[in-house]
């Protein structure tokens, strides 16, 4: 995956695919972004940290390196649980209202602010969103938040 994960590319990969593909594509983006954040903070991690390192371990590593805070960790853990339900449950094919509610509830405050910014400064009326679009909006905000965190590593 390209080193420069642009937010517009992420948005396209989440909104232009069915729910299963969107979640799996978001997972690949988050995994790569978390890896790049860790390596930016600790370049020598490349010697003991690779592509096969589970996402859950990368989350632990990022929190210990103080790259992410507890709120961001909670959101990434919730996303990973959602991804796992799509990857391992045969009947899981679409995002549900429960998924939508769960993802919004765990977003860090910075990501909630990003949702407001994306909606011209107003908190959106999610009741008008299509099924799964709330989760996809939450993932876009979480992605933007992670990009902001990566930008500030070392500053």
């Amino acid at each position: 995956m390209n080193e420069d994960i642009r937010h517009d590319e992420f948005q396209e990969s989440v909104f232009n695919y069915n729910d299963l593909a969107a979640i799996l594509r978001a997972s690949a983006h988050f995994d790569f972004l978390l890896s790049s954040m860790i390596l930016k903070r600790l370049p020598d991690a490349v010697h003991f940290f690779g592509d096969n390192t589970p996402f859950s371990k990368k989350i632990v590593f990022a929190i210990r390196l103080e790259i992410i805070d507890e709120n961001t960790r909670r959101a990434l853990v919730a996303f990973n649980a959602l991804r796992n339900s799509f990857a391992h449950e045969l009947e899981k094919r679409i995002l549900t209202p429960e998924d939508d509610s769960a993802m919004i509830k765990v977003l860090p405050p910075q990501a909630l602010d990003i949702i407001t910014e994306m909606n011209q400064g107003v908190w959106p009326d999610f009741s008008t969103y299509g099924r799964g679009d709330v989760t996809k909006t939450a993932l876009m905000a979480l992605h933007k938040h992670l990009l902001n965190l990566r930008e500030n590593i070392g500053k």
Side-chain angles (χ1 to χ4, degrees), residues 16-35:
N16 290 349
Y17 293 89
N18 66 41
D19 293 348
L20 173 62
I23 293 300
L24 295 179
R25 292 175 69 83
S27 178
H29 279 274
F30 286 154
D31 189 81
F32 178 82
L33 188 51
L34 203 53
S35 293

Side-chain angles (χ1 to χ4, degrees), residues 21-75:
I23 293 300
L24 295 179
R25 292 175 69 83
S27 178
H29 279 274
F30 286 154
D31 189 81
F32 178 82
L33 188 51
L34 203 53
S35 293
S36 72
M37 292 166 73
I38 291 166
L39 292 173
K40 186 174 180 182
R41 170 64 59 87
L42 187 63
D44 288 342
V46 73
H47 299 297
F48 55 89
F49 175 83
D51 290 337
N52 293 329
T53 303
F55 187 68
S56 59
K57 300 287 186 215
K58 291 177 185 180
I59 295 170
V60 170
F61 206 49
I63 197 96
R64 291 202 174 139
L65 289 172
E66 298 179 354
I67 296 169
I68 62 172
D69 62 13
E70 180 59 27
N71 291 327
T72 303
R73 183 200 68 80
R74 242 186 330 273

Side-chain angles (χ1 to χ4, degrees), residues 4-147:
D4 182 28
I5 303 172
R6 293 190 353 237
H7 189 62
D8 58 333
E9 291 171 353
F10 179 81
Q11 179 178 350
E12 181 180 314
S13 73
V14 169
F15 275 100
N16 290 349
Y17 293 89
N18 66 41
D19 293 348
L20 173 62
I23 293 300
L24 295 179
R25 292 175 69 83
S27 178
H29 279 274
F30 286 154
D31 189 81
F32 178 82
L33 188 51
L34 203 53
S35 293
S36 72
M37 292 166 73
I38 291 166
L39 292 173
K40 186 174 180 182
R41 170 64 59 87
L42 187 63
D44 288 342
V46 73
H47 299 297
F48 55 89
F49 175 83
D51 290 337
N52 293 329
T53 303
F55 187 68
S56 59
K57 300 287 186 215
K58 291 177 185 180
I59 295 170
V60 170
F61 206 49
I63 197 96
R64 291 202 174 139
L65 289 172
E66 298 179 354
I67 296 169
I68 62 172
D69 62 13
E70 180 59 27
N71 291 327
T72 303
R73 183 200 68 80
R74 242 186 330 273
L76 289 171
V77 166
F79 169 74
N80 197 40
L82 178 62
R83 187 216 69 90
N84 286 343
S85 70
F86 271 88
H88 302 295
E89 296 173 20
L90 292 175
E91 67 279 357
K92 182 72 171 176
R93 297 280 182 242
I94 61 170
L95 290 164
T96 66
E98 292 78 18
D99 297 326
D100 288 345
S101 178
M103 279 310 300
I104 288 295
K105 285 180 183 173
V106 298
L107 284 180
Q110 303 92 324
L112 295 172
D113 290 344
I114 290 167
I115 290 175
T116 301
E117 289 171 21
M118 291 180 341
N119 200 46
Q120 288 85 34
V122 178
W123 185 251
D125 177 6
F126 286 130
S127 68
T128 64
Y129 280 45
R131 181 205 43 75
D133 287 346
V134 175
T135 296
K136 291 175 181 181
T137 300
L139 296 180
M140 284 180 38
L142 183 57
H143 181 262
K144 182 76 168 171
H145 172 57
L146 291 173
L147 286 174

